[in-house]
Amino acid sequence: MKQIIKSLLFVFFLFSFIKGTAANPNAPFNLRSFDKQNPIGTNDKPYFGWYLSDADSNEIQSAYQIIISSSLINLNANKGDIWDSNKTNSRKQNYIYLEKTALKAATTYYWKVRCWDKDGNVSTYSNPANFTTGLLTNNDWTAAQWIKRDSKDNDDFTYFRKKANLPNKTIKKAIVYLSACHSYELYVNGQFVGKGFNNHYPQYSYYNAWDITALLNKNAENLLACLTHWYGGGQGRATGTRGMIIKTIIEYNDGTQTVIGSDKSWKQVQATQWLLGQPQRNGEGVGRVESVDSRKNIANWNNAKLDDSNWKNATEIGSHPTTPWTGTLRSDLTRVVEKEIKPKAIKNLGNGKYVIDLGKIYAGSFKITFKERTPGDTIKMLGGFVLNNDGTVAPKFSQSTNLSFKYIPNGANSVFNPNVYFGMRYLQVENAPNELNQNNVSFISRHFELDPSHSSFETSNEMLNKTWELMAHTLVLGAQEDFVDTPTREKGAFLLDSWSQAVPCMSVMYDRTMNMRALNEFLESQDQYWPDGRLNAVYPNVDGGRDIPDFTQAYLVWVWDYYTQTGNIEFLKSNYARLKKVADYVDTYKNESTGLIHKLKGGKGPYEFGIIDWPATMRYGYDMNVESRTVIDAYAYEDFNILSKIAEVIGNSDDKTLYGNKAEAIKKAINNNLINQNGVYIDGMNNDKNVSTHVSQHANILPYALDIVPEANKKQVIEEIKKQKMNIGMVCLRWLPESLGLADEGNHLIDLYTNPQWEGWAKTITLGGTATWESWDADTTGQSMSHPWGTVGLLAMQNYILGIKAVTPQHEKIQIKPLWFGDKLTYAKGTYPTDKGDIKVDWNYSNNKYNLKITVPNNSTAKVYLPKCGKTGTTIKFDNKEVAAIEEGNYLYLDNIGSGEHHFER
């Protein structure tokens, strides 16, 4: 007790000293609306966030004031004619929603914010920020029609063009609003603007907005041009129907407008260089083999000078809404970014055969300039992941996908650049007409706009660093139209794959945009297909409703992960009824006799009643014959537990109690029925209460990670988990390092990440893997070698090696507790992004001394742990002052450490 009082007095003294000398905070910065800087084409429900700038240590935001104005003039005059929040006492720094205010379509709004610190000192206002709404209702699409090229092509590549003469007026702003099924490329006056993808069901279709102000010419003829590609339904792609709608609004300084909408006056023609009748690449519908005859290219198709008088007029389908686009087109703020990279090696195998090596797997498409004097020769190409002994591409390891291409050059310089992206490392080229080298070969890498520079991770263990790099690189591979399960085999999101990628994308890449979009899409699958509360296993998709029970169960875990990272209460409130249906669906299959979940309805074939793990080899003998599976029961506990916590957050005290009681009841049933005589968990039981005799790692890691295990059994359970090393696949992967971290098994955790003799990331690396695999045995079973669900291992590296965890939502309170690794790991440092700014940790252990340096963002407080390091006593140095810390197990901690840089020593 004396130690606690002494520590609290020290913190009080520190805060008192700072209060007396505190200066006014600087203006907030990094202003975001909709989690983006100055976005365009937004919906009408904006939310706002910012970073604080305050040089004082231990600073807290006590209040904020947001002003939104219809003009910069009003904003600069502090006139919030749209909204003035006035001084609002709150620590929130993001997901502050504008309420009860109607916004206009296609309108730019300007905003700024100022903040008060903990002592009541106010900052100056931030620099102005803005957001521009998109087309908010169906009526806003007036003057635009859905158009198409009349075609029955199952691989429909179409060019669209529209010329428009603009007056001799200064253009203030010009924005294109565009939706096309399934993909498009937009050009203005020959200049590339952007790409978009709309694989959703037509009634849920998205549109994108693009600012083209700088590309237009006043008092001149201008050209809008699009290449669209419709290619039927597939895995992660609803069939939809071919069609495009585009509306361009050009505003002038004199207040007038020009509106250019798609209609029958637009010209269209088939892009005939893509030859029809090609075979499907695989059974999952990523499209057909691209066979391109460059002799049929239409040169300058996107240039205004082209004479398109012989092109046909587009066919009007109808004004919006029209069948099948019956809903309101929705704003999509996700964007694809592309980067041209060079191969690591190009090997000449002779006789025009080359193998191009990118050095690691990337998602995108090759770009090769061929110089062929004799037109008509066919160049054959084959992508891949692995080489044969003779240096050629091994088609066996193709992820069951035909990765071939055919290209016919035109007799001069022509460029091969496929339309549909794939993940691959190698490209084999046969019958190349010219030498291939670094000057004429490149690769257009593409992904959703994730930024790996938001975080960092470095340690004294080189293999540990490589596992981080492997997973961080793979996260980018999988961020495409959604969080795809592989960029090679399909173009959509599996629910559990998405969760495994989406959560580290938040804390590693600082993603919020794709997380929110994907979370909403899976809830839409419930609306569309599952009145009982289930969610689609993959969505959108060609085959409609298809679920996997434990994928549905994992959704609520993702929701709580999202809320913990973001503090977005509005998401919980607006979706509560649908979230509750997930928990109720699980509860429906509770057996009153055992108290467990029996035969949770859903799935087919090997997925029925729960997938447990996948591929089947990754179940490591899990007993799939039991009617109540321990993994399903553990997830059921967490579903009820999370629903109870969500109910508490939104103020529903009845549901908080109801689902809290359900969680405690199934926890009791799990521990009464599923622990064997050795004190560890078995795989499950049957209705007649006959139990499985098999003890899997899966059945033990979930109860441990989810805090189900009784205190008396924790030692036996963690020893069983350790004994089995890595005996799980990626479906349950998150829970293994989480269990080891919670059990303070630092040495074993390092082995899990770095021992190449065990199944795991290190073994993948030593076998030549450059991305995470679908299974640990993908090199022998032909499974995917670019499967991002293995990236979920990044979480424990941040949580237990750097030691950073959010204790309360939006990181108002954080825990910094690197595990004790002894001599197994002597230093680690890294950066972790949050809505309040970056958390930084840098610890090292040498010469029997442990040093920890941290940076806590403004408006956060931290509970900071140091290992005892085998020493007695509770004294540590905090910012060069000796203090008595509080003892907890093998650690010492100080609480309520405020913002700024702090140093600790043991």
Side-chain angles (χ1 to χ4, degrees):
M1 179 59 72
K2 288 181 180 179
Q3 292 171 353
I4 295 173
I5 293 171
K6 187 175 179 181
S7 297
L8 291 174
L9 285 173
F10 173 78
V11 173
F12 175 77
F13 167 78
L14 182 63
F15 271 52
S16 299
F17 172 76
I18 289 171
K19 182 175 181 179
T21 60
N24 281 37
N26 299 317
F29 69 104
N30 190 23
L31 272 63
R32 287 112 50 219
S33 49
F34 300 90
D35 287 309
K36 300 176 82 75
Q37 293 184 343
N38 303 328
I40 64 169
T42 72
N43 64 36
D44 60 349
K45 295 178 174 56
Y47 53 91
F48 305 96
W50 56 85
Y51 282 1
L52 299 174
S53 177
D54 197 325
D56 295 331
S57 295
N58 308 292
E59 269 302 352
I60 297 293
Q61 172 189 289
S62 61
Y64 64 80
Q65 182 179 10
I66 299 172
I67 290 177
I68 308 177
S69 305
S70 59
S71 69
L72 271 175
I73 293 173
N74 284 347
L75 190 74
N76 291 333
N78 297 332
K79 183 180 178 182
D81 58 318
I82 302 300
W83 187 53
D84 187 339
S85 72
N86 298 308
K87 183 180 180 181
T88 302
N89 296 325
S90 173
R91 288 181 62 186
K92 284 193 74 172
Q93 251 181 277
N94 200 2
Y95 300 95
I96 298 164
Y97 279 79
L98 172 65
E99 297 179 353
K100 300 178 181 177
T101 303
L103 300 180
K104 297 178 181 178
T107 302
T108 299
Y109 295 94
Y110 303 88
W111 69 284
K112 61 184 179 180
V113 63
R114 62 175 176 170
C115 299
W116 284 259
D117 67 13
K118 69 178 188 297
D119 301 310
N121 301 312
V122 66
S123 74
T124 55
Y125 275 107
S126 66
N127 289 329
N130 64 73
F131 64 94
T132 301
T133 54
L135 305 182
L136 305 176
T137 69
N138 290 336
N139 288 336
D140 295 327
W141 287 92
T142 300
Q145 300 273 322
W146 283 95
I147 60 174
K148 68 177 181 178
R149 175 175 68 90
D150 286 325
S151 164
K152 294 183 179 180
D153 299 343
N154 53 25
D155 210 6
D156 185 344
F157 289 92
T158 300
Y159 290 135
F160 291 94
R161 286 166 53 95
K162 174 66 178 179
K163 295 177 182 178
N165 288 300
L166 298 184
N168 189 16
K169 295 182 179 182
T170 301
I171 298 171
K172 177 183 178 182
K173 179 176 62 179
I175 296 179
V176 173
Y177 304 93
L178 170 59
S179 179
C181 181
H182 289 105
S183 66
Y184 68 83
E185 295 179 14
L186 173 65
Y187 295 81
V188 173
N189 292 326
Q191 297 296 307
F192 174 72
V193 177
K195 294 183 178 182
F197 302 85
N198 185 11
N199 293 343
H200 215 325
Y201 297 92
Q203 68 270 30
Y204 294 123
S205 282
Y206 296 111
Y207 71 89
N208 301 125
W210 302 97
D211 188 330
I212 61 168
T213 309
L215 301 178
L216 294 177
N217 301 311
K218 68 178 182 178
N219 196 30
E221 185 178 67
N222 291 263
L223 177 77
L224 299 172
C226 262
L227 166 65
T228 64
H229 182 206
W230 176 88
Y231 54 123
Q235 188 92 303
R237 189 176 67 255
T239 303
T241 190
R242 67 202 80 210
M244 176 186 79
I245 189 169
I246 181 170
K247 184 174 182 177
T248 304
I249 302 175
I250 304 166
E251 300 178 17
Y252 304 102
N253 280 351
D254 66 1
T256 61
Q257 287 186 346
T258 296
V259 176
I260 306 169
S262 48
D263 58 21
K264 63 184 178 182
S265 70
W266 281 59
K267 293 300 187 75
Q268 55 79 16
V269 72
Q270 179 188 358
T272 54
Q273 66 267 35
W274 280 282
L275 302 181
L276 300 176
Q278 303 304 309
Q280 288 278 6
R281 289 197 180 273
N282 62 28
E284 296 180 336
V286 294
R288 296 176 180 273
V289 170
E290 285 190 55
S291 185
V292 177
D293 187 344
S294 68
R295 297 172 300 177
K296 298 183 178 182
N297 280 350
I298 301 175
N300 299 316
W301 70 271
N302 54 11
N303 193 296
K305 294 180 180 179
L306 176 74
D307 180 5
D308 59 12
S309 58
N310 64 336
W311 289 27
K312 292 183 179 180
N313 291 89
T315 298
E316 289 184 357
I317 302 171
S319 58
H320 189 80
T322 188
T323 304
W325 300 282
T326 54
T328 301
L329 290 174
R330 303 179 305 171
S331 164
D332 178 15
L333 296 182
T334 66
R335 292 291 184 270
V336 167
V337 294
E338 295 185 326
K339 180 181 180 181
E340 189 165 343
I341 62 175
K342 287 295 180 181
K344 291 297 181 184
I346 302 174
K347 188 172 183 180
N348 186 346
L349 300 182
N351 296 320
K353 180 181 287 189
Y354 291 83
V355 171
I356 305 165
D357 180 5
L358 298 174
K360 59 175 68 173
I361 297 167
Y362 288 91
S365 56
F366 277 91
K367 182 179 180 181
I368 305 174
T369 300
F370 290 110
K371 186 176 182 180
E372 172 63 270
R373 293 179 181 175
T374 305
D377 287 349
T378 298
I379 302 169
K380 295 181 179 180
M381 288 166 271
L382 180 66
F385 299 85
V386 175
L387 297 182
N388 294 314
N389 292 334
D390 64 359
T392 58
V393 168
K396 175 183 176 182
F397 295 94
S398 62
Q399 301 184 185
S400 303
T401 301
N402 182 342
L403 291 175
S404 66
F405 304 86
K406 291 181 181 180
Y407 186 71
I408 302 174
N410 62 11
N413 286 349
S414 58
V415 178
F416 165 75
N417 184 213
N419 179 267
V420 179
Y421 74 91
F422 291 95
M424 62 182 71
R425 174 175 175 175
Y426 302 102
L427 184 71
Q428 181 175 305
V429 181
E430 297 185 31
N431 198 29
N434 53 280
E435 179 190 356
L436 300 185
N437 53 48
Q438 297 288 344
N439 295 323
N440 54 30
V441 176
S442 60
F443 187 83
I444 310 300
S445 170
R446 55 97 76 194
H447 56 83
F448 164 68
E449 52 188 353
L450 295 182
D451 184 355
S453 69
H454 277 299
S455 65
S456 63
F457 182 87
E458 180 186 332
T459 73
S460 57
N461 187 303
E462 189 55 35
M463 180 57 81
L464 194 59
N465 299 339
K466 288 180 179 179
T467 60
W468 172 275
E469 292 165 8
L470 177 84
M471 286 187 271
H473 173 68
T474 313
L475 264 189
V476 174
L477 287 180
Q480 304 293 342
E481 295 92 336
D482 281 291
F483 295 113
V484 301
D485 85 327
T486 168
T488 299
R489 204 161 57 203
E490 48 225 10
K491 305 300 182 195
F494 273 86
L495 198 162
L496 192 134
D497 299 61
S498 295
W499 162 61
S500 298
Q501 300 165 59
V503 181
C505 272
M506 286 190 282
S507 59
V508 175
M509 306 288 182
Y510 191 62
D511 171 64
R512 302 291 185 267
T513 308
M514 187 65 86
N515 262 268
M516 181 183 283
R517 200 189 89 175
L519 283 164
N520 280 317
E521 284 182 355
F522 281 110
L523 287 176
E524 287 159 6
S525 78
Q526 185 186 80
D527 299 342
Q528 191 174 1
Y529 295 116
W530 305 109
D532 67 352
R534 281 179 274 174
L535 304 167
N536 251 37
V538 56
Y539 189 85
N541 205 42
V542 64
D543 62 0
R546 171 157 62 96
D547 76 310
I548 298 174
D550 26 357
F551 281 31
T552 294
Q553 289 184 291
Y555 180 81
L556 288 182
V557 184
W558 184 3
V559 168
W560 193 251
D561 288 332
Y562 172 77
Y563 173 65
T564 301
Q565 283 284 325
T566 66
N568 186 358
I569 297 175
E570 183 59 32
F571 179 84
L572 303 183
K573 288 180 178 178
S574 60
N575 294 305
Y576 182 70
R578 296 191 285 185
L579 302 178
K580 184 176 176 179
K581 284 175 71 174
V582 174
D584 289 344
Y585 148 68
V586 176
D587 193 41
T588 300
Y589 297 92
K590 183 175 67 178
N591 181 301
E592 294 301 329
S593 174
T594 65
L596 300 172
I597 306 300
H598 286 240
K599 291 190 174 181
L600 182 60
K601 186 177 181 180
K604 295 178 181 178
Y607 305 159
E608 191 175 18
F609 309 131
I611 193 172
I612 304 301
D613 221 325
W614 192 257
T617 56
M618 296 293 96
R619 290 174 177 155
Y620 292 92
Y622 194 101
D623 188 347
M624 299 297 287
N625 293 317
V626 290
E627 294 169 309
S628 179
R629 298 170 180 172
T630 305
V631 166
I632 300 296
D633 292 317
Y635 268 126
Y637 163 79
E638 190 65 354
D639 288 335
F640 301 146
N641 180 42
I642 287 172
L643 208 285
S644 176
K645 291 191 290 187
I646 292 172
E648 181 178 23
V649 168
I650 67 173
N652 187 330
S653 56
D654 290 344
D655 278 0
K656 172 186 179 296
T657 301
L658 174 65
Y659 289 93
N661 289 340
K662 289 180 185 293
E664 287 304 309
I666 197 165
K667 181 177 184 177
K668 184 178 179 181
I670 290 169
N671 289 330
N672 284 345
N673 292 293
L674 300 177
I675 296 177
N676 69 12
Q677 66 275 16
N678 297 320
V680 298
Y681 291 89
I682 53 173
D683 289 355
M685 72 181 305
N686 293 311
N687 284 333
D688 60 8
K689 297 190 178 182
N690 284 327
V691 296
S692 172
T693 58
H694 189 259
V695 175
S696 66
Q697 197 173 45
H698 308 76
N700 284 272
I701 55 176
L702 270 87
Y704 201 100
L706 300 176
D707 196 24
I708 294 171
V709 184
E711 196 64 37
N713 293 80
K714 284 187 175 180
K715 188 176 189 314
Q716 300 99 297
V717 172
I718 201 63
E719 288 303 316
E720 180 64 37
I721 291 170
K722 288 166 60 180
K723 182 180 73 175
Q724 296 200 34
K725 298 173 183 174
M726 179 75 83
N727 265 10
I728 54 167
M730 313 304 171
V731 176
C732 289
L733 181 57
R734 175 173 177 174
W735 307 116
L736 175 53
E738 177 71 11
S739 298
L740 296 170
L742 289 171
D744 193 20
E745 294 286 348
N747 286 349
H748 193 88
L749 184 68
I750 298 300
D751 286 339
L752 187 75
Y753 282 104
T754 63
N755 190 332
Q757 304 304 314
W758 296 4
E759 304 277 61
W761 302 276
K763 186 175 181 180
T764 297
I765 291 168
T766 58
L767 290 171
T770 61
T772 60
W773 292 350
E774 185 174 7
S775 61
W776 305 122
D777 58 1
D779 61 316
T780 59
T781 59
Q783 305 294 342
S784 163
M785 289 184 156
S786 56
H787 223 80
W789 58 358
T791 61
V792 75
L794 288 163
L795 296 176
M797 299 176 84
Q798 292 184 306
N799 296 161
Y800 296 108
I801 298 174
L802 296 180
I804 303 168
K805 277 188 177 182
V807 177
T808 58
Q810 211 175 94
H811 297 87
E812 285 191 0
K813 182 68 176 285
I814 59 177
Q815 174 181 285
I816 297 178
K817 185 183 181 182
L819 296 189
W820 171 239
F821 303 103
D823 294 326
K824 195 101 175 180
L825 197 67
T826 57
Y827 82 83
K829 60 182 178 181
T831 306
Y832 178 113
T834 77
D835 285 333
K836 292 178 166 52
D838 290 342
I839 302 169
K840 296 182 179 180
V841 169
D842 184 348
W843 65 261
N844 67 80
Y845 177 65
S846 62
N847 299 321
N848 205 28
K849 185 183 291 185
Y850 192 95
N851 286 284
L852 171 65
K853 181 172 72 173
I854 65 171
T855 300
V856 179
N858 286 316
N859 203 22
S860 289
T861 59
K863 186 176 185 179
V864 182
Y865 288 80
L866 272 71
K868 289 180 179 177
C869 305
K871 301 176 182 178
T872 59
T874 61
T875 300
I876 64 173
K877 276 189 178 180
F878 169 53
D879 289 345
N880 294 317
K881 296 181 176 68
E882 286 198 352
V883 299
I886 301 169
E887 191 172 7
E888 185 180 292
N890 295 318
Y891 296 83
L892 304 170
Y893 74 84
L894 293 178
D895 207 349
N896 297 314
I897 303 302
S899 63
E901 184 176 292
H902 300 288
H903 299 257
F904 302 81
E905 182 182 316
R906 171 68 171 171

